[in-house]
Amino acid sequence: MNNQLFETADRYIDDLFSSQDDALIATEQSIEAADLQNMSVSANQGRFLYVMAKLCRAERILEIGTFCGYSTIWLAKALPTNGRVITLEADETHAAIARDNFVCSGFAPMIDMRIGNALDVLPQLVADGSGPFDMIFIDADKPPYADYFQWALKLSRPGTLIIADNVIRHLYDENTPAEKRAGVSRFNEMLAATPAVTATIIQNVGIKEPDGMAIAVVN
Ligand code: SAH
Ligand code: DHB
Ligand code: MG
C-alpha cells in the first residue's frame, strides 16, 4: 500500500456512498474561497462521525473546534429533528464562515455555536447543566487535548461516545511543534490510563495525511 492507493481507495469509498451533499460541498467551497488552510475532516471521516452519531442515537452532541462547520454539519445531519449540536470555536473569522454555512445548510436551528476559548466555555457548560452529551468530538488545538478530555468526562454519562481527531500524526511528524506532540501524547496516555472509559485509536489513511482518531466509550 502507498499513499496513492490510500487516496484512490478514499475516493472510491466517497463515490460509493455519495457522501457529500450540496451543503457539505458549499462548506468546502467556502474554505477555499476564504483561502484558509483546510483543517476539516475529510468527507469519509465526516461520514464516519455521522455513522457513529447514528449508532449512539445521539440527540445532544458537543464539538470542540468548529472551524468552518464541515464536521458540525455532518454531525447535525445525524440528529433527529429535536437534536442539538453545541460547537465551540475561538476564532471569529472561522465562526463567521461557519455561521453562514449553518444558515445555507438549513441546520442553523439545530446548531448552537459558542464563540470563545473552549477552556473558558467548557466550565460554563458544566455550570449551566448543558450535559450530559451523547457524543463529544474533540478537534480544537492540540496542547490542551487532555484538558478537553477531562471536561468531556464531566459532560458525559455512561455510554457517551468521545472521539478525538488527529491523535497520531503529530507523534511522528518531524515538523510538528513540540507542544502539539506533547499535547497529543499526554491525551493518548491519559485515555489509555483512564478506567472510566474503554478506548482505542483507529488509524486513518486516505486523502489527508496519515493520522488517527481516538474512540472512547464512557463506562
Ligand atoms: N472540526 C472541524 C475542524 C476544526 S479545526 C472540522 O472537521 O470541520 C480546529 C479549530 O479549533 C479551528 O477553527 C481553531 O480556530 C479552533 N480552536 C483552536 N483553539 C481553540 C480553543 N482554545 N477554543 C476553541 N476553539 C479553538
Ligand atoms: C489542523 C487541525 C486539525 O484538526 C486537522 O484535522 C488538520 C490540521 C491544523 O491545526 O493544522
Ligand atoms: Mg482535526
Side-chain angles (χ1 to χ4, degrees):
M1 292 288 262
N2 54 38
N3 283 359
Q4 188 53 56
L5 186 49
F6 291 146
E7 284 192 32
T8 303
D10 208 10
R11 291 191 206 288
Y12 165 77
I13 297 164
D14 191 17
D15 289 346
L16 195 61
F17 294 98
S18 327
S19 280
Q20 301 234 87
D21 62 16
D22 290 348
L24 290 163
I25 292 166
T27 297
E28 290 200 318
Q29 286 167 349
S30 75
I31 297 164
E32 267 182 50
D35 210 13
L36 293 170
Q37 185 206 320
N38 193 343
M39 298 190 282
S40 315
V41 294
S42 70
N44 286 328
Q45 290 172 332
R47 192 169 178 88
F48 172 75
L49 295 173
Y50 171 77
V51 173
M52 289 299 107
K54 290 270 191 185
L55 177 65
C56 58
R57 292 180 159 70
E59 294 186 2
R60 298 186 53 77
I61 300 177
L62 172 64
E63 175 178 68
I64 308 174
T66 316
F67 187 45
C68 298
Y70 183 79
S71 54
T72 322
I73 293 172
W74 269 112
L75 292 167
K77 278 160 63 79
L79 293 171
T81 47
N82 63 334
R84 285 286 175 282
V85 189
I86 296 183
T87 184
L88 315 185
E89 176 55 55
D91 184 299
E92 302 270 2
T93 306
H94 298 172
I97 297 169
R99 188 176 298 103
D100 285 350
N101 288 326
F102 298 153
V103 172
C104 291
S105 71
F107 286 108
M110 296 165 78
I111 300 171
D112 176 0
M113 181 167 51
R114 308 283 176 91
I115 300 167
N117 184 337
L119 289 172
D120 298 328
V121 179
L122 287 161
Q124 292 167 17
L125 296 180
V126 171
D128 44 11
S130 296
F133 292 91
D134 306 311
M135 178 171 170
I136 300 175
F137 180 47
I138 300 173
D139 192 21
D141 51 332
K142 312 311 165 193
Y145 253 39
D147 305 291
Y148 295 147
F149 176 59
Q150 289 304 317
W151 286 110
L153 287 176
K154 291 190 196 0
L155 291 162
S156 293
R157 51 147 176 91
T160 295
L161 181 66
I162 300 174
I163 300 184
D165 194 25
N166 314 117
V167 300
I168 291 296
R169 168 184 170 184
H170 298 300
L171 303 178
Y172 303 105
D173 181 350
E174 295 163 5
N175 301 319
T176 287
E179 60 276 16
K180 271 196 189 181
R181 182 178 303 117
V184 169
S185 329
R186 183 168 164 247
F187 168 82
N188 289 345
E189 283 158 26
M190 181 182 283
L191 189 71
T194 300
V197 299
T198 305
T200 190
I201 294 171
I202 55 161
Q203 295 198 51
N204 293 151
V205 295
I207 59 166
K208 293 188 58 167
E209 288 284 300
D211 208 325
M213 281 192 193
I215 320 278
V217 60
V218 177
N219 296 320

